Amino acid sequence: MDALPCSHRLMHSSRPIVSDSKASDTLLTSSNLLLRGSSIGASCFVSMGSKLSKSPSGFPNKAMRTGGSRRRPVSNVYDPRRAAESVIQEEAPQLLEIGPTLEVSPGKAFPLGATEAEIGINFSLFSQHASAVTLCLAIPQRGNSGKMEAGMVQLTLNPKINKTRNGLPRQGVLYGYRIDGPQGWEQGHRYDNKDVLLDPYAKLVEGRRYFGDVTHKMTKFLGKYDFASLPFDWGNDYEKPNIPEKDLVIYEMNIRAFTSDESSGLHPDIRGSYLGVVEKIPHLLELGINAVELLPVFEFDELEFQRRPNPRDHMINTWGYSTMNFFAPMSRYASAGGGPEAASLEFKQMVKALHAAGIEVILDVVYNHTNEADDLYPYATSFRGIDNKVYYMLDPNGQLLNFSGCVGDDPYAGASGSAPTAILPLFYGIEVGLGTRTPRVIEYHVDGFRFDLASVLCRGIDGSPLDSPPIIKAIAKDRVLSRCKLIAEPWDCDGLYLVGRFPNWDRWAEWNGRYRDDIRKFIKVGDLGMKGIFATRVSGSSDLYKVNKRKPCHNINFVIAHDGFTLNDLVSYNFKHNEANGEGGNDGSNDNFSWNCGHEGETTDSTIKALRARQMKNFHVALMTSQGTPMMLMGDEYGHTRYGNNNSYGHDTAINNFQWGQNDVTWHEDNWDNHESKFLAFTLHDHNLGEDIYLAFNAHDYIVKLALPAPPSQRRWSRVVDTNLESPHDFVPEGVLGIGSSYNMAPFSSILLLAKQ
């Protein structure tokens, strides 16, 4: 990677053009400063690396101080009752005027994006083929974030003088770029200087404030910065869990879907937010998981299907696999419509709280396609209008290639040599996605990444597979990234299936798709010839991973993931039922290796329901006892159903949302305020089969006589566990019947009763 962005000129070749040579190459010649009759913002016509300065006090001048309140650091957010108190109610900046006189001087090429320099704000953008760049700036009023373009003012700067002084505050400024360049569609260019484009390196993104708000579905997304807020307080006693890979138990989950349902019992302001996850940490601890793998949490446009009439225009992208920006946390996951600054803060609060509970955070990152659609229905929001030939893979005719199977094509991240600069933006993006910034300081403290359709990153500039893809190697060798959990989804949608063969440098782990398929085939109805393969899978898939220094922990075992059937649907449907997606049932996999246990879909037949319950347990037992790293899906702990939809990405409904009512708990306690009480009992209700579980813990030094609750209809309590009894009577898996309406519970003991027929 010998070519770097230039602070004075656009990139026209693999080498930077210096500021005093061939000025005509850039078409940046004007030095006029213009105001367009607006007082709410300013913009400048610049090359790469403009810098806008502040006064020594930190503000342009006293008259321009913002009216927003200063955020305070949070020392500890694990306590759920304190989490709501930490929600930031941030005041939007007041309307600021930027005067007509701006002092200008050269900026710096690195770091990319908007950064605070010693004497100002530095803006840097990478493009190899553009001929002109306009930096657009605006300072919004409260509630007006979606209507910025009309309020923007454009100022033109001389390309040799790329810094302005005395004009910008240190926070609350929105910015974007207008970019012009060659118009050769057949050469792969997609420039349109009418579009205001989002900075690929923006650390904050401002758009609509509330998830799925269709009244603002055409909102413009712009970059934003905040250099005035206090640094986040991670706490003096803060430590990352640093769990060895061999000990991980992963829970794949979606931030919004986890708590957005009313059954979560959370205040509406924090449902579906980062803080909502904090509130539900006790549930994660009860499951026994020690890592969450979060579906995409970088900025994406959930209303992308609703820009034009189409068969999917009723859907909302709730999974998030359509990235708009690889740097900024999803702003609509902030509580109470708090916006990008609150999202950044609350994401850190969530990570801190999870770490305090001993739970690591792994991010699902999508570097194989973006939100910008295809050439049939193009939607340039950022990459495509900045430099389509750099950010995307093209065929010899300049047309977009697609190995992701999505309407949104593939960012280029493969070959070196002819276009080495193409790797740089993506690699830098991955680093900042981790939370590193120059000089590699950890920002968000996440513990690892799962790379969606990672085989796309193993292709060259022409789409051909590479034996040693440079981006994959660079990540494995990087001194920061190599210490993180690195997980590949080792396939793409054009047949590059690399399970057990993913280029790994003994560092990368893989989603084991072979494990998923083979475990399903054996357990569903005992497919013939599967016994030996099943044994290989549960014993660590040595046929795939006993190579070089690879270990069983490099094998991520899973039966269920976000795409495909849920565990309940795996034992309830023989066929996918995706009619609600609007694609005529043509989407989603046809190879589910499922068995409906004798009836397709919902049933009241108790025999079939009992068989399905046993099958779900069989799958889970196999998963948790197999050698390797297990991963389960959110909702499978209670048998979540999507009613046979195996591709439910576009439903912001109960189809995807965690149903907390399916996990009902009755606490048998009316003495919560008695600090001397050392007894606790509760019932976990099974609304599906009626197999309720009663648990009690007695930490007193005397016997407690229990008045047991009534079991479900036509059920009796059976004793499964009583730790007071001698082995083997202390644990009887099939249960001991004859438990009446009361139970004498010994000192320092616990019991588990199961409702059985």
Side-chain angles (χ1 to χ4, degrees), residues 336-398:
E341 294 91 345
S344 178
L345 176 67
E346 292 172 11
F347 185 92
K348 294 172 187 174
Q349 292 176 339
M350 178 191 69
V351 172
K352 180 179 177 180
L354 287 166
H355 283 176
I359 298 173
E360 292 198 337
V361 179
I362 299 171
L363 304 185
D364 194 330
V365 289
V366 189
Y367 291 106
N368 59 78
H369 70 284
T370 71
N371 70 300
E372 294 193 298
D374 53 19
D375 281 339
L376 183 61
Y377 298 104
Y379 183 59
T381 58
S382 181
F383 312 97
R384 184 154 300 156
I386 293 172
D387 205 322
N388 190 62
K389 293 187 70 171
V390 163
Y391 284 100
Y392 292 95
M393 301 171 74
L394 308 177
D395 66 19
N397 298 317

Coordinates of all heavy atoms in Angstrom, one line a residue, residues 336-398:
A336 N -34.5 7.1 23.4 CA -35.3 8.3 23.4 C -35.0 9.3 22.2 O -35.0 10.5 22.3 CB -35.2 9.1 24.7
G337 N -34.6 8.7 21.0 CA -34.2 9.5 19.9 C -33.1 10.4 20.1 O -33.0 11.5 19.6
G338 N -32.1 10.0 20.9 CA -31.0 10.8 21.4 C -30.0 11.2 20.3 O -29.3 12.2 20.5
G339 N -30.0 10.5 19.2 CA -29.1 10.9 18.1 C -27.7 10.3 18.2 O -27.4 9.5 19.0
P340 N -26.8 10.7 17.3 CA -25.5 10.1 17.1 C -24.6 10.2 18.3 O -23.9 9.3 18.7 CB -24.9 10.7 15.9 CG -25.7 12.0 15.7 CD -27.0 11.7 16.2
E341 N -24.6 11.4 19.0 CA -23.7 11.5 20.2 C -24.2 10.6 21.3 O -23.3 9.9 21.9 CB -23.7 13.0 20.7 CG -23.1 14.0 19.7 CD -24.1 14.6 18.7 OE1 -25.2 14.0 18.6 OE2 -23.8 15.6 18.1
A342 N -25.5 10.5 21.5 CA -26.0 9.6 22.5 C -25.7 8.2 22.2 O -25.4 7.3 23.0 CB -27.5 9.9 22.7
A343 N -25.8 7.8 20.9 CA -25.6 6.5 20.4 C -24.2 6.0 20.8 O -23.9 4.9 21.2 CB -25.9 6.3 18.9
S344 N -23.2 6.9 20.5 CA -21.8 6.6 20.8 C -21.6 6.4 22.3 O -20.9 5.4 22.7 CB -20.9 7.8 20.3 OG -19.6 7.5 20.6
L345 N -22.2 7.3 23.1 CA -22.0 7.2 24.5 C -22.7 5.9 25.1 O -22.1 5.2 25.8 CB -22.6 8.4 25.2 CG -22.6 8.4 26.7 CD1 -21.2 8.5 27.3 CD2 -23.5 9.5 27.2
E346 N -23.9 5.7 24.6 CA -24.7 4.5 25.2 C -24.1 3.2 24.7 O -24.2 2.2 25.4 CB -26.1 4.7 24.8 CG -26.8 5.9 25.6 CD -28.2 6.2 25.1 OE1 -28.8 5.4 24.4 OE2 -28.7 7.3 25.5
F347 N -23.5 3.2 23.5 CA -22.9 2.0 23.1 C -21.7 1.6 24.0 O -21.5 0.5 24.4 CB -22.3 2.1 21.6 CG -21.7 0.9 21.1 CD1 -22.5 0.0 20.3 CD2 -20.4 0.6 21.3 CE1 -21.9 -1.1 19.8 CE2 -19.8 -0.6 20.7 CZ -20.6 -1.4 20.0
K348 N -21.0 2.6 24.4 CA -19.9 2.4 25.4 C -20.4 2.0 26.7 O -19.9 1.1 27.4 CB -19.0 3.7 25.5 CG -18.3 4.0 24.3 CD -17.6 5.4 24.4 CE -17.0 5.8 23.1 NZ -16.5 7.2 23.1
Q349 N -21.5 2.6 27.1 CA -22.1 2.1 28.4 C -22.6 0.7 28.3 O -22.4 -0.1 29.3 CB -23.4 3.0 28.7 CG -23.0 4.5 29.0 CD -24.3 5.3 29.2 OE1 -25.4 5.0 28.8 NE2 -24.1 6.4 29.9
M350 N -23.1 0.3 27.2 CA -23.5 -1.1 27.1 C -22.3 -2.1 27.1 O -22.3 -3.1 27.8 CB -24.2 -1.3 25.7 CG -24.7 -2.8 25.4 SD -25.2 -3.0 23.7 CE -23.7 -2.8 22.8
V351 N -21.2 -1.7 26.4 CA -20.0 -2.5 26.4 C -19.5 -2.6 27.8 O -19.1 -3.7 28.3 CB -19.0 -2.0 25.4 CG1 -17.6 -2.7 25.6 CG2 -19.5 -2.1 24.0
K352 N -19.4 -1.5 28.5 CA -18.9 -1.5 29.9 C -19.7 -2.4 30.8 O -19.2 -3.1 31.6 CB -18.9 0.0 30.4 CG -18.3 0.1 31.8 CD -18.3 1.5 32.3 CE -17.8 1.7 33.7 NZ -17.8 3.1 34.1
A353 N -21.0 -2.3 30.7 CA -21.9 -3.1 31.5 C -21.8 -4.6 31.2 O -21.7 -5.4 32.1 CB -23.4 -2.6 31.3
L354 N -21.7 -4.9 29.9 CA -21.5 -6.3 29.6 C -20.2 -6.9 30.1 O -20.1 -8.0 30.6 CB -21.6 -6.5 28.1 CG -23.0 -6.4 27.5 CD1 -23.0 -6.2 26.0 CD2 -23.9 -7.6 27.8
H355 N -19.1 -6.0 30.0 CA -17.8 -6.5 30.4 C -17.8 -6.6 32.0 O -17.2 -7.6 32.5 CB -16.8 -5.4 30.0 CG -16.4 -5.6 28.6 ND1 -15.5 -4.7 28.0 CD2 -16.7 -6.5 27.6 CE1 -15.3 -5.1 26.7 NE2 -16.0 -6.2 26.5
A356 N -18.5 -5.7 32.7 CA -18.6 -5.9 34.1 C -19.3 -7.2 34.5 O -19.0 -7.7 35.6 CB -19.4 -4.7 34.7
A357 N -20.2 -7.7 33.6 CA -20.9 -8.9 33.9 C -20.1 -10.1 33.4 O -20.6 -11.3 33.4 CB -22.2 -8.9 33.3
G358 N -18.9 -9.9 32.8 CA -18.1 -11.0 32.3 C -18.5 -11.5 30.9 O -18.2 -12.6 30.5
I359 N -19.1 -10.6 30.1 CA -19.6 -10.9 28.8 C -18.9 -10.1 27.8 O -18.8 -8.9 27.8 CB -21.1 -10.7 28.7 CG1 -21.9 -11.6 29.7 CG2 -21.6 -11.0 27.3 CD1 -23.4 -11.3 29.8
E360 N -18.3 -10.8 26.8 CA -17.6 -10.1 25.7 C -18.5 -9.7 24.6 O -19.6 -10.2 24.5 CB -16.5 -11.0 25.1 CG -15.3 -11.3 26.1 CD -14.1 -11.8 25.4 OE1 -14.2 -12.4 24.3 OE2 -13.0 -11.7 26.0
V361 N -18.0 -8.7 23.8 CA -18.9 -8.1 22.7 C -18.2 -8.4 21.4 O -17.1 -7.9 21.2 CB -19.1 -6.6 23.0 CG1 -19.9 -6.0 21.8 CG2 -19.7 -6.4 24.3
I362 N -18.8 -9.1 20.5 CA -18.3 -9.4 19.2 C -19.3 -8.7 18.2 O -20.5 -8.9 18.3 CB -18.3 -10.9 18.9 CG1 -17.3 -11.6 19.9 CG2 -17.8 -11.2 17.4 CD1 -17.3 -13.1 19.8
L363 N -18.8 -8.0 17.2 CA -19.6 -7.3 16.2 C -19.6 -8.0 14.9 O -18.6 -8.4 14.4 CB -19.0 -5.8 16.0 CG -18.9 -4.9 17.3 CD1 -18.4 -3.5 16.8 CD2 -20.2 -4.9 18.1
D364 N -20.8 -8.1 14.3 CA -21.0 -8.6 13.0 C -20.8 -7.5 12.0 O -21.5 -6.5 12.0 CB -22.4 -9.2 12.9 CG -22.6 -10.0 11.6 OD1 -21.9 -9.8 10.6 OD2 -23.4 -10.9 11.7
V365 N -19.7 -7.6 11.2 CA -19.4 -6.5 10.3 C -19.6 -6.9 8.8 O -19.4 -8.1 8.5 CB -17.9 -6.0 10.5 CG1 -17.8 -5.2 11.8 CG2 -16.9 -7.1 10.4
V366 N -20.1 -6.0 8.0 CA -20.6 -6.3 6.7 C -19.7 -5.5 5.7 O -20.0 -4.4 5.3 CB -22.0 -6.0 6.5 CG1 -22.6 -6.5 5.2 CG2 -22.9 -6.5 7.6
Y367 N -18.6 -6.1 5.2 CA -17.7 -5.5 4.3 C -17.9 -6.0 2.9 O -17.0 -5.8 2.0 CB -16.2 -5.6 4.7 CG -16.0 -4.8 6.0 CD1 -15.8 -5.4 7.2 CD2 -15.9 -3.4 5.9 CE1 -15.5 -4.7 8.3 CE2 -15.7 -2.6 7.1 CZ -15.5 -3.3 8.3 OH -15.2 -2.5 9.4
N368 N -18.9 -6.8 2.6 CA -19.1 -7.4 1.3 C -20.1 -6.6 0.5 O -20.2 -6.9 -0.7 CB -19.5 -8.8 1.5 CG -20.8 -9.0 2.3 OD1 -21.9 -8.8 1.7 ND2 -20.7 -9.4 3.5
H369 N -20.9 -5.7 1.0 CA -21.8 -4.9 0.2 C -22.3 -3.7 1.1 O -22.1 -3.7 2.3 CB -23.0 -5.7 -0.3 CG -24.0 -6.1 0.7 ND1 -23.8 -7.1 1.6 CD2 -25.2 -5.6 1.1 CE1 -24.8 -7.3 2.4 NE2 -25.7 -6.4 2.1
T370 N -22.9 -2.8 0.5 CA -23.4 -1.6 1.2 C -24.9 -1.4 0.9 O -25.5 -2.2 0.2 CB -22.6 -0.3 0.8 OG1 -23.0 0.0 -0.6 CG2 -21.1 -0.6 0.9
N371 N -25.4 -0.2 1.3 CA -26.8 0.2 1.1 C -27.0 0.8 -0.3 O -28.2 1.2 -0.6 CB -27.2 1.2 2.1 CG -26.5 2.5 1.9 OD1 -25.3 2.6 1.9 ND2 -27.3 3.6 1.7
E372 N -26.0 0.9 -1.1 CA -26.1 1.8 -2.3 C -26.8 1.1 -3.5 O -26.8 1.7 -4.6 CB -24.8 2.4 -2.7 CG -24.2 3.3 -1.6 CD -23.0 4.1 -2.0 OE1 -22.0 3.5 -2.4 OE2 -23.1 5.3 -2.1
A373 N -27.4 -0.1 -3.3 CA -28.2 -0.7 -4.3 C -27.3 -1.0 -5.6 O -26.1 -1.0 -5.6 CB -29.4 0.1 -4.7
D374 N -28.0 -1.3 -6.7 CA -27.3 -1.7 -7.9 C -27.5 -0.6 -9.0 O -28.0 0.5 -8.7 CB -27.8 -3.0 -8.4 CG -29.4 -3.0 -8.6 OD1 -29.9 -1.9 -8.7 OD2 -29.9 -4.1 -8.6
D375 N -27.0 -0.9 -10.2 CA -27.1 0.1 -11.2 C -28.5 0.3 -11.8 O -28.8 1.2 -12.5 CB -26.1 -0.2 -12.3 CG -24.7 0.2 -11.9 OD1 -24.5 1.1 -11.0 OD2 -23.7 -0.3 -12.5
L376 N -29.3 -0.7 -11.6 CA -30.7 -0.6 -12.0 C -31.5 0.5 -11.2 O -32.2 1.3 -11.8 CB -31.4 -1.9 -12.0 CG -32.8 -2.0 -12.5 CD1 -32.9 -1.6 -14.0 CD2 -33.4 -3.4 -12.3
Y377 N -31.3 0.4 -9.9 CA -31.9 1.4 -9.1 C -30.8 2.0 -8.1 O -30.8 1.8 -6.9 CB -33.0 0.8 -8.2 CG -34.1 0.2 -9.0 CD1 -34.2 -1.2 -9.2 CD2 -35.1 1.1 -9.6 CE1 -35.3 -1.7 -10.0 CE2 -36.1 0.5 -10.4 CZ -36.2 -0.8 -10.6 OH -37.2 -1.4 -11.3
P378 N -29.9 2.8 -8.7 CA -28.8 3.3 -7.9 C -29.2 4.3 -6.8 O -30.2 5.0 -6.9 CB -27.9 4.1 -8.9 CG -28.9 4.4 -10.0 CD -29.9 3.3 -10.1
Y379 N -28.5 4.2 -5.7 CA -28.8 5.1 -4.6 C -27.5 5.5 -3.9 O -27.0 4.9 -3.0 CB -29.7 4.4 -3.5 CG -30.1 5.2 -2.4 CD1 -30.8 6.4 -2.5 CD2 -29.8 4.8 -1.1 CE1 -31.2 7.2 -1.5 CE2 -30.2 5.6 0.0 CZ -30.9 6.8 -0.2 OH -31.3 7.5 0.9
A380 N -26.8 6.5 -4.5 CA -25.5 6.9 -4.1 C -25.7 7.8 -2.8 O -26.2 8.9 -2.8 CB -24.8 7.7 -5.2
T381 N -25.2 7.2 -1.7 CA -25.2 8.0 -0.5 C -23.8 8.3 0.0 O -23.6 9.2 0.8 CB -25.9 7.2 0.7 OG1 -25.2 6.0 0.8 CG2 -27.3 7.0 0.4
S382 N -22.8 7.6 -0.5 CA -21.4 7.8 -0.1 C -20.4 7.3 -1.0 O -20.0 7.9 -2.0 CB -21.2 7.2 1.3 OG -19.9 7.4 1.8
F383 N -20.0 6.0 -0.9 CA -18.9 5.4 -1.6 C -19.0 5.5 -3.1 O -18.0 5.9 -3.8 CB -18.8 3.9 -1.2 CG -18.9 3.6 0.2 CD1 -20.1 3.2 0.8 CD2 -17.8 3.7 1.0 CE1 -20.2 3.0 2.2 CE2 -17.9 3.4 2.4 CZ -19.1 3.1 3.0
R384 N -20.2 5.2 -3.6 CA -20.3 5.2 -5.1 C -20.1 6.6 -5.7 O -19.5 6.7 -6.8 CB -21.8 4.7 -5.5 CG -22.0 4.5 -6.9 CD -23.1 3.5 -7.2 NE -22.6 2.2 -6.6 CZ -23.5 1.3 -6.3 NH1 -24.8 1.5 -6.4 NH2 -23.1 0.2 -5.8
G385 N -20.6 7.6 -5.1 CA -20.4 9.0 -5.6 C -19.0 9.5 -5.3 O -18.6 10.5 -6.0
I386 N -18.2 8.9 -4.4 CA -16.9 9.4 -4.1 C -15.9 8.8 -5.0 O -15.0 9.5 -5.6 CB -16.5 9.1 -2.6 CG1 -17.4 9.9 -1.7 CG2 -15.1 9.4 -2.3 CD1 -17.3 9.5 -0.2
D387 N -16.0 7.5 -5.2 CA -15.1 6.8 -6.2 C -15.6 5.4 -6.4 O -15.1 4.5 -5.7 CB -13.7 6.9 -5.8 CG -12.7 6.8 -7.0 OD1 -13.0 6.0 -7.9 OD2 -11.7 7.4 -7.0
N388 N -16.5 5.2 -7.3 CA -17.1 3.9 -7.6 C -16.0 2.8 -7.9 O -16.1 1.7 -7.5 CB -18.1 4.0 -8.7 CG -18.9 2.7 -8.8 OD1 -19.7 2.3 -7.9 ND2 -18.8 2.1 -10.0
K389 N -15.0 3.3 -8.7 CA -14.0 2.3 -9.2 C -13.0 1.9 -8.0 O -12.4 0.8 -8.1 CB -13.2 2.9 -10.3 CG -14.0 3.1 -11.6 CD -13.1 3.6 -12.7 CE -12.2 2.5 -13.2 NZ -11.5 2.9 -14.5
V390 N -13.0 2.7 -7.0 CA -12.1 2.3 -5.9 C -12.8 1.4 -4.8 O -12.3 0.4 -4.4 CB -11.5 3.6 -5.2 CG1 -11.0 3.2 -3.8 CG2 -10.5 4.2 -6.0
Y391 N -14.1 1.8 -4.5 CA -14.8 1.2 -3.5 C -15.6 -0.1 -3.9 O -16.0 -0.8 -3.0 CB -15.8 2.2 -2.8 CG -15.1 3.2 -1.9 CD1 -14.8 4.5 -2.4 CD2 -14.7 2.8 -0.6 CE1 -14.2 5.4 -1.5 CE2 -14.1 3.8 0.2 CZ -13.8 5.0 -0.3 OH -13.2 5.9 0.6
Y392 N -15.7 -0.3 -5.2 CA -16.5 -1.5 -5.6 C -15.8 -2.3 -6.7 O -14.9 -1.8 -7.3 CB -17.9 -1.0 -6.2 CG -18.8 -0.5 -5.2 CD1 -18.9 0.9 -5.0 CD2 -19.6 -1.3 -4.4 CE1 -19.7 1.4 -4.0 CE2 -20.4 -0.8 -3.4 CZ -20.5 0.6 -3.2 OH -21.3 1.1 -2.3
M393 N -16.1 -3.6 -6.7 CA -15.6 -4.5 -7.7 C -16.4 -4.4 -9.0 O -17.6 -4.5 -9.0 CB -15.6 -5.9 -7.2 CG -14.9 -6.1 -5.9 SD -15.1 -7.7 -5.1 CE -14.1 -8.8 -6.2
L394 N -15.7 -4.2 -10.1 CA -16.3 -4.0 -11.4 C -15.8 -5.0 -12.4 O -14.7 -5.5 -12.3 CB -16.0 -2.6 -11.9 CG -16.2 -1.4 -11.0 CD1 -15.8 -0.1 -11.6 CD2 -17.7 -1.3 -10.6
D395 N -16.7 -5.3 -13.4 CA -16.3 -6.2 -14.5 C -15.5 -5.3 -15.6 O -15.4 -4.1 -15.4 CB -17.5 -6.9 -15.1 CG -18.4 -6.0 -15.8 OD1 -18.1 -4.8 -16.2 OD2 -19.6 -6.4 -16.0
P396 N -15.0 -6.0 -16.6 CA -14.2 -5.2 -17.6 C -15.0 -4.1 -18.3 O -14.4 -3.2 -18.9 CB -13.8 -6.3 -18.6 CG -13.7 -7.5 -17.8 CD -14.9 -7.4 -16.8
N397 N -16.3 -4.2 -18.2 CA -17.1 -3.2 -18.9 C -17.5 -2.1 -17.9 O -18.4 -1.2 -18.2 CB -18.4 -3.8 -19.4 CG -18.1 -4.8 -20.5 OD1 -17.2 -4.6 -21.4 ND2 -18.7 -6.0 -20.5
G398 N -16.9 -2.0 -16.7 CA -17.2 -1.0 -15.8 C -18.5 -1.2 -15.0 O -19.0 -0.2 -14.4

